[in-house]
Amino acid sequence: DVKVTQSSRYLVKRTGEKVFLECVQDMDHENMFWYRQDPGLGLRLIYFSYDVKMKEKGDIPEGYSVSREKKERFSLILESASTNQTSMYLCASSAASNQPQHFGDGTRLSIL
Amino acid sequence: AQSVTQLDSQVPVFEEAPVELRCNYSSSVSVYLFWYVQYPNQGLQLLLKYLSGSTLVKGINGFEAEFNKSQTSFHLRKPSVHISDTAEYFCAVSPLGGSYIPTFGRGTSLIVHP
């Protein structure tokens, strides 16, 4: 069965810290995505990647960066965490636009 | 560019009653359509998808959806819901060709009461 694995289910960090969220997929998918999910706002795209070392900004990239050194791994980096980045973060992958996305279980991040 | 509107943020319903969750979209190009479900503290999982062909699509857990091109809608239905269907439901569209980026609606919370 296909699998997208996010390294942490729950994470608590302090303001100003550099935070790494890791995502690994085992489906050899070209496309990978990072979203944040907040009540009433649905899913908002932070960054996506359509190939190794390629990345594109989504709707809300400010305060975030990403890294994709290997096809299966897509990392989200909070350069200097702030309290307004407290949220649920979801990673997803897909083979193509006519194929559904596969999601990880999410990381609930709290910035104190 | 695409946009997706889920007309109801919350839908309460009694167990064994039918339910319809509404989704309308706008797009300048043809799109693929998806419904996802999110159970508490989990990621999203695919319920069903429409790519082409028959406009009535059947998915998992007894759900189905009908694509209506003239009304640009893709409403999700189930004839008889269970308590276990309580979850958040998301409609999404993805453009044919080109960008790989889907657009999601804001979600509808289905609450099934005993």
Side-chain angles (χ1 to χ4, degrees):
Chain A
D1 199 11
V2 297
K3 197 149 182 70
V4 177
T5 302
Q6 294 184 231
S7 53
S8 304
R9 291 298 304 274
Y10 301 93
L11 208 52
V12 181
K13 296 291 183 180
R14 296 195 180 276
T15 55
E17 280 193 73
K18 191 169 186 176
V19 180
F20 293 85
L21 302 184
E22 306 286 347
C23 175
V24 177
Q25 51 100 356
D26 65 358
M27 295 161 282
D28 201 36
H29 283 168
E30 303 290 336
N31 310 311
M32 297 188 75
F33 307 80
W34 275 106
Y35 296 91
R36 64 176 283 175
Q37 182 180 18
D38 300 288
L41 298 179
L43 275 68
R44 291 183 291 168
L45 182 65
I46 305 171
Y47 268 96
F48 73 99
S49 169
Y50 53 89
D51 201 352
V52 175
K53 296 191 185 295
M54 305 303 290
K55 59 186 179 184
E56 295 285 345
K57 292 180 180 179
D59 300 318
I60 52 164
E62 296 79 19
Y64 304 93
S65 63
V66 290
S67 172
R68 193 162 180 206
E69 296 296 318
K70 293 184 178 181
K71 191 175 187 180
E72 67 270 19
R73 186 179 297 270
F74 192 35
S75 303
L76 179 69
I77 304 151
L78 285 65
E79 297 291 342
S80 177
S82 64
T83 54
N84 63 11
Q85 292 178 310
T86 291
S87 187
M88 169 72 96
Y89 290 87
L90 291 167
C91 175
S93 71
S94 72
S97 63
N98 66 344
Q99 297 300 317
Q101 290 182 307
H102 297 268
F103 285 83
D105 282 337
T107 296
R108 191 167 292 281
L109 176 63
S110 296
I111 307 297
L112 305 179
Chain B
Q2 297 77 234
S3 68
V4 178
T5 303
Q6 291 185 241
L7 295 155
D8 305 295
S9 60
Q10 205 171 80
V11 173
V13 64
F14 286 109
E15 195 174 19
E16 298 183 6
V19 71
E20 178 179 83
L21 305 183
R22 297 179 292 169
C23 173
N24 286 89
Y25 71 93
S26 68
S27 177
S28 55
V29 299
S30 296
V31 294
Y32 303 113
L33 297 137
F34 306 87
W35 273 100
Y36 293 87
V37 60
Q38 185 182 32
Y39 299 107
N41 296 315
Q42 294 186 25
L44 282 68
Q45 55 184 270
L46 181 71
L47 266 182
L48 49 79
K49 62 184 178 184
Y50 173 79
L51 303 182
S52 63
S54 171
T55 57
L56 184 63
V57 180
K58 294 191 183 298
I60 62 171
N61 300 340
F63 284 92
E64 64 180 32
E66 185 152 22
F67 170 54
N68 187 319
K69 190 173 182 179
S70 62
Q71 297 186 3
T72 60
S73 68
F74 191 53
H75 301 333
L76 181 70
R77 301 185 184 100
K78 186 170 183 178
S80 175
V81 295
H82 301 129
I83 295 286
S84 58
D85 291 324
T86 295
E88 193 83 13
Y89 292 80
F90 292 93
C91 180
V93 301
S94 191
L96 268 70
S99 164
Y100 302 102
I101 309 170
T103 300
F104 285 84
R106 291 194 173 190
T108 297
S109 180
L110 176 64
I111 303 167
V112 182
H113 296 281

